[in-house]
Amino acid sequence: MLAYASHPRIVLNMENGIYVFAPESATGKTFLFDLLRNLQITGEAIVTYNYWDHLMGVDLRRMIDKTHPKVVMIDRMDCFRTDSAIHEAILQVWKSAIVLIDLKYLTPPPFKCKIADIDMSRDLIEVIG
């Protein structure tokens, strides 16, 4: 379990591994991504990656090697789910970090993973895996 003293507070109630969120909209995935990205910017051991990063040529593996993250969150992976460099980066880090993946449109994940659920309240976002 990991917890971050952001507002709202974030609790990741899960072990290291790869987790995918259900594809429903308005569950808080993007809000969680934005909070984690802000924590990453402040120096927390977090890596966030989205479609914009992919288009800009940001190297996910290099970010992981540099940061040694405890958490990796990938937003809208369905937009680049066939990218083998992304797969390799995820498979490099899943044993030492919690990897959260957002896939839309019932796109099957490219590898085995567990399901993650988000439970949100005004003061807390809890991700359960």
Side-chain angles (χ1 to χ4, degrees):
M1 181 178 87
L2 291 173
Y4 296 96
S6 57
H7 186 73
R9 193 169 81 107
I10 299 170
V11 174
L12 304 177
N13 196 359
M14 54 193 37
E15 298 177 0
N16 292 344
I18 304 171
Y19 298 84
V20 66
F21 292 105
E24 289 88 14
S25 297
T27 59
K29 296 182 295 277
T30 300
F31 184 54
L32 174 64
F33 179 88
D34 292 341
L35 288 172
L36 290 173
R37 177 151 287 187
N38 287 337
L39 289 167
Q40 173 185 345
I41 290 168
T42 66
E44 292 285 346
I46 296 171
V47 168
T48 56
Y49 191 85
N50 61 16
Y51 185 56
W52 179 254
D53 297 323
H54 187 71
L55 288 177
M56 294 294 102
V58 175
D59 187 333
L60 178 60
R61 186 175 195 138
R62 182 173 289 168
M63 288 174 56
I64 288 169
D65 288 344
K66 179 181 175 185
T67 307
H68 304 288
K70 294 180 182 177
V71 177
V72 175
M73 185 165 180
I74 302 174
D75 189 35
R76 292 301 310 265
M77 188 168 162
D78 51 291
C79 295
F80 47 89
R81 75 177 192 86
T82 59
D83 186 319
S84 61
I86 301 296
H87 296 188
E88 290 172 15
I90 291 169
L91 293 174
Q92 166 196 341
V93 73
W94 74 271
K95 290 182 181 178
S96 61
I98 296 168
V99 180
L100 302 170
I101 299 174
D102 173 31
L103 288 167
K104 301 281 192 242
Y105 309 115
L106 297 175
T107 305
F111 26 68
K112 285 187 171 184
C113 54
K114 301 172 189 172
I115 300 296
D117 291 315
I118 296 180
D119 198 13
M120 286 184 45
S121 68
R122 183 179 151 150
D123 298 320
L124 175 67
I125 297 176
E126 183 177 19
V127 183
I128 303 160

